[in-house]
Amino acid sequence: MLYKTISKANFKVFINEVIAGNVTIAPKMTDKDSEGNPVYQFQQVYAFDEIALNYTKTYSSLKNFFLPFKESLSTFQFDKNEWKQKIEYSIHPRVIVGVRACDINGLLKLDNVLMKGKYPSPYYVARRTNTFLIGLDHEPMADCFCQSLNSDEALHGFDLFLTDIGDKYFMQINSSKAFNLFKNVQINDIETEDEEKYIAEKKRIASLFKTRVAITGLSNLMDIEFESDVWKKWGDKCLSCGTCAMVCPTCYCFTVTESIDVSLKFALKEKVLYSCNLVDFAEVAGGHNFRPEPATRLKYRFYHQHRGFVESYDEPKCVGCNRCGIACPAGINPIDVIHDLRMEDVK
Amino acid sequence: MEYLGIELKKPKVSFFDFTCCEGCQLQIANKEDTLVDFLSLVEVVNFREISSEKKDHYEIAFIEGAISRQDEIERLEKIRKQAKLVVALGTCACYGGVNSLKKRFSVEDVVNEVYGHNPVETLPVKSVKEVVAVDFEIPGCPISKAEFESIILHLVLGTEFRFKKYPVCVECKQNLNHCLLDEGKICLGPITRAGCNAVCINGKLPCYGCRGPAEENNWPSLKQILTEKGFSPEQIDEKTSFFNSLTEVTKNES
Ligand code: SF4
Ligand code: SF4
Ligand code: SF4
Ligand code: SF4
Ligand code: SF4
């Protein structure tokens, strides 16, 4: 890692240069909700001024640039009795600007499963390795609990990471690709004053977290509370709508569909993201459903986040962004569910 | 017509409209990019939006619309006798659809309001399955063109078509929409079967449940959520009974 600073004016020049030469994706204000609050989404941008660098939270996560909701696994072309299969997983290199630490940590968790595992997904690897990530520090929202999950800081998994220290950014440069991009834009060595400001800013951000979730020992507690009424309490509310897994930065479950074109000349095998809360997630051939009740399915979603994943990778799968909690139509959120589990508080 | 060297049989199909706007047939007729391919999969015997030809020899009858007159009952019974497969096409045929709003008033009042001094004979609205046996139902107001095409393909290829079991919310999130329940609207997406790609919510209109219930539909929970948000039982009922498509779920409980 290399540490430098860049003035805000130069950062703008730099980003406009990046945009001119690359597909660039960044947080944009796309709408307003009924109360007039801005709504943000990661979208392609064409100029620096379109970027909402001080965005709050995107409703859906960044995941879908790496795991699209629908992705072609292969196409088939039929010709008389013959058929040809085509598999394509190359993507245009692209840059994503303004990524939060929790989202970078979310990608690192997906890397564990989809890139570093025994069976890497070439589709994911293509998207991940061809994406240049520029991270950015920010003040947490009132419901962010990434600090409790050690996800408020990204140690790797990005190319550049910026922290606002006044009229310039403190910059962590994590790849030679990143360093080479600064040929035409001036960056400066770190001075003592920058370092002090950086440390102070980091401390300030860390002190702003309002929501804490007690994670220590949670994995074991889940075993002990397997039969807890907490699951029924929240399970009765659950609509089995899959919203939580769709917006979650680390949920990667999918189903595969096959369809034939109406011309009978082509076919498509597609991967479609799924959720363990959906009614037929654990339904097998022959029709048996291993998890027919909503409460069981809800429980297993929490088990994967806080127990199953810990067993495989020594860390929870959840990064504490609370996107699932915000989006859940039934108000089910990890903060309250885990709290209840700790308290065994079933009212 | 061949698929991987296998000759496929073209089923003879007919489309018949009853009490409806014929919008579902229109969905099929105006899917221009694939209409030619689609028409090569089946032999269309009756389809008044495409051709004026009329014959009595068909295997599959697509019934569009609800049933609301005595002569419609008789016509439908005749079709049932003739067809091997009867398919209810669209929400009107499957559940009564928008026409079911008529159920809220007496037949007399309805006739008087609409036809005044020229009264017509009419009955309370029924779905197709309330009149004759139905082999397959394709819901939607209107039906999804893509889903309909896929169903026909499955039929021609002799493979089983499966509706999505999960609710509209999944497709709503795939389209990156904000939840309309948070915007002060009554959205029935959580209890409604997906397959429409959440078209209404994509256009910021809440889901009225035209496709009928999803396989898991936690109505007690959704009802509680809506009640806690301050909606009255009347406001909730107005939405859930709009298409008469969710009655089976919402009336059980309340
Ligand atoms: S808070 Fe929810 S959405 Fe965010 S990572 Fe955890 S489980 Fe996923
Ligand atoms: S099992 Fe559930 S919690 Fe785990 S990745 Fe899949 S959808 Fe997410
Ligand atoms: S927890 Fe919430 S978002 Fe997830 S499936 Fe249940 S109701 Fe839907
Ligand atoms: S309730 Fe309606 S708006 Fe909300 S997620 Fe479900 S379908 Fe979308
Ligand atoms: S969103 Fe609801 S009302 Fe609209 S088409 Fe889909 S099922 Fe029908």
Side-chain angles (χ1 to χ4, degrees), chain B residues 168 192 196 199-201 207-211:
Chain B
V168 173
T192 303
C196 57
V199 282
C200 298
I201 305 113
C207 173
Y208 275 52
C210 75
R211 295 175 51 83

Side-chain angles (χ1 to χ4, degrees), chain B:
Chain B
M1 185 188 46
E2 272 194 359
Y3 172 64
L4 282 172
I6 300 163
E7 188 57 38
L8 298 175
K9 204 174 152 281
K10 279 188 179 192
K12 288 192 172 72
V13 303
S14 283
F15 292 81
F16 301 103
D17 47 274
F18 288 76
T19 302
C20 64
C21 70
E22 292 184 47
C24 287
Q25 285 192 57
L26 198 61
Q27 286 286 94
I28 303 164
N30 72 9
K31 197 170 186 311
E32 280 149 14
D33 49 336
T34 55
L35 188 61
V36 173
D37 282 330
F38 174 74
L39 290 175
S40 68
L41 288 178
V42 292
E43 187 181 324
V44 177
V45 180
N46 298 292
F47 194 156
R48 93 181 176 120
E49 287 187 7
I50 293 183
S51 134
S52 55
E53 218 172 309
K54 275 190 184 166
K55 283 183 217 143
D56 268 344
H57 238 73
Y58 48 84
E59 292 148 326
I60 306 173
F62 289 95
I63 309 296
E64 189 199 32
I67 310 303
S68 68
R69 285 198 320 257
Q70 188 55 37
D71 62 302
E72 287 190 330
I73 296 183
E74 286 153 23
R75 182 167 161 239
L76 181 59
E77 281 167 348
K78 257 193 210 153
I79 293 169
R80 176 69 268 190
K81 279 198 193 114
Q82 172 64 39
K84 279 192 201 146
L85 276 182
V86 169
V87 181
L89 187 68
T91 300
C92 296
C94 296
Y95 301 105
V98 183
N99 307 301
S100 308
L101 294 176
K102 187 174 154 191
K103 283 192 190 173
R104 299 183 188 183
F105 313 96
S106 76
V107 170
E108 272 158 45
D109 285 354
V110 170
V111 173
N112 199 26
E113 175 73 25
V114 180
Y115 296 99
H117 297 303
N118 306 299
V120 296
E121 183 248 346
T122 181
L123 299 171
V125 166
K126 283 188 171 158
S127 65
V128 175
K129 62 174 172 282
E130 287 176 285
V131 180
V132 297
V134 169
D135 300 292
F136 196 74
E137 293 191 305
I138 307 176
C141 184
I143 55 161
S144 139
K145 298 178 191 189
E147 190 178 67
F148 178 76
E149 222 169 63
S150 169
I151 290 170
I152 297 300
L153 259 172
H154 281 77
L155 186 95
V156 171
L157 296 169
T159 48
E160 186 191 355
F161 175 83
R162 286 172 190 228
F163 281 105
K164 286 170 179 150
K165 294 185 177 179
Y166 53 76
V168 173
C169 298
V170 175
E171 292 174 339
C172 175
K173 296 301 104 175
Q174 291 173 344
N175 283 287
L176 302 177
N177 297 316
H178 253 230
C179 184
L180 294 176
L181 290 170
D182 293 336
E183 303 275 309
K185 294 185 181 153
I186 296 180
C187 183
L188 301 176
I191 56 167
T192 303
R193 187 185 288 283
C196 57
N197 194 31
V199 282
C200 298
I201 305 113
N202 299 345
K204 289 206 171 188
L205 292 172
C207 173
Y208 275 52
C210 75
R211 295 175 51 83
E215 187 157 307
E216 182 80 69
N217 43 72
N218 192 345
W219 172 239
S221 171
L222 182 58
K223 191 178 165 191
Q224 195 186 336
I225 293 164
L226 294 172
T227 307
E228 279 167 13
K229 286 186 187 285
F231 295 107
S232 68
E234 294 72 34
Q235 284 173 312
I236 297 171
D237 188 61
E238 198 201 328
K239 304 284 179 199
T240 55
S241 60
F242 190 81
F243 285 115
N244 196 42
S245 51
L246 298 166
T247 330
E248 161 202 340
V249 170
T250 55
K251 292 292 182 256
N252 258 347
E253 200 261 344
S254 53

Side-chain angles (χ1 to χ4, degrees), chain A residues 65-259:
Chain A
F65 289 96
F66 302 89
L67 287 176
F69 287 118
K70 289 188 182 153
E71 182 173 35
S72 162
L73 293 180
S74 89
T75 52
F76 302 84
Q77 199 182 337
F78 305 131
D79 183 23
K80 299 244 162 57
N81 300 346
E82 303 291 318
W83 55 275
K84 266 189 241 138
Q85 183 178 19
K86 199 167 152 201
I87 297 175
E88 211 172 340
Y89 42 72
S90 63
I91 67 146
H92 258 294
R94 55 198 179 163
V95 179
I96 307 187
V97 185
V99 186
R100 304 302 193 204
C102 65
D103 283 342
I104 293 171
N105 282 306
L107 287 172
L108 286 172
K109 289 175 198 284
L110 290 179
D111 291 351
N112 276 334
V113 182
L114 300 164
M115 202 148 82
K116 297 186 183 151
K118 209 168 168 189
Y119 305 103
S121 155
Y123 302 88
Y124 178 83
V125 173
R127 287 173 187 275
R128 182 73 164 108
T129 50
N130 282 304
T131 307
F132 185 94
L133 281 185
I134 305 181
L136 183 66
D137 256 333
H138 73 122
E139 290 180 3
M141 272 27 85
D143 60 339
C144 291
F145 60 99
C146 58
Q147 197 177 43
S148 305
L149 284 146
N150 276 331
S151 290
D152 57 330
E153 191 147 359
L155 302 175
H156 58 115
F158 55 83
D159 293 273
L160 282 176
F161 200 95
L162 311 174
T163 306
D164 190 334
I165 52 165
D167 52 359
K168 50 187 164 180
Y169 289 109
F170 186 96
M171 192 161 61
Q172 304 177 55
I173 304 177
N174 196 26
S175 67
S176 50
K177 215 194 278 172
F179 188 72
N180 290 334
L181 277 179
F182 289 104
K183 267 189 223 133
N184 304 325
V185 181
Q186 194 200 332
I187 52 176
N188 309 305
D189 289 337
I190 303 286
E191 287 165 27
T192 322
E193 191 198 355
D194 300 327
E195 244 175 62
E196 283 165 7
K197 278 190 183 161
Y198 172 69
I199 291 166
E201 175 63 359
K202 280 294 201 190
K203 267 197 193 151
R204 190 184 72 87
I205 291 175
S207 71
L208 292 174
F209 282 90
K210 295 195 179 73
T211 304
R212 262 166 246 286
V213 173
I215 299 297
T216 321
L218 184 59
S219 185
N220 290 342
L221 183 77
M222 289 218 150
D223 266 350
I224 297 162
E225 298 297 351
F226 192 78
E227 305 286 351
S228 166
D229 287 342
V230 168
W231 300 118
K232 189 172 157 28
K233 171 186 164 183
W234 292 100
D236 281 350
K237 294 184 204 283
C238 179
L239 300 157
S240 302
C241 72
T243 290
C244 44
M246 294 296 136
V247 300
C248 177
T250 64
C251 275
Y252 50 83
C253 282
F254 62 92
T255 185
V256 174
T257 63
E258 288 166 333
S259 55

Side-chain angles (χ1 to χ4, degrees), chain A residues 61 102-103 106 109 143 145 149 244-245 247-251 301-302 305-306 317-326 333-335:
Chain A
S61 73
C102 65
D103 283 342
K109 289 175 198 284
D143 60 339
F145 60 99
L149 284 146
C244 44
V247 300
C248 177
T250 64
C251 275
R301 182 158 189 278
F302 276 85
Q305 303 291 348
H306 295 285
K317 187 171 89 66
C318 174
V319 296
C321 67
N322 199 37
R323 284 194 177 92
C324 56
I326 293 170
N333 64 86
I335 303 156

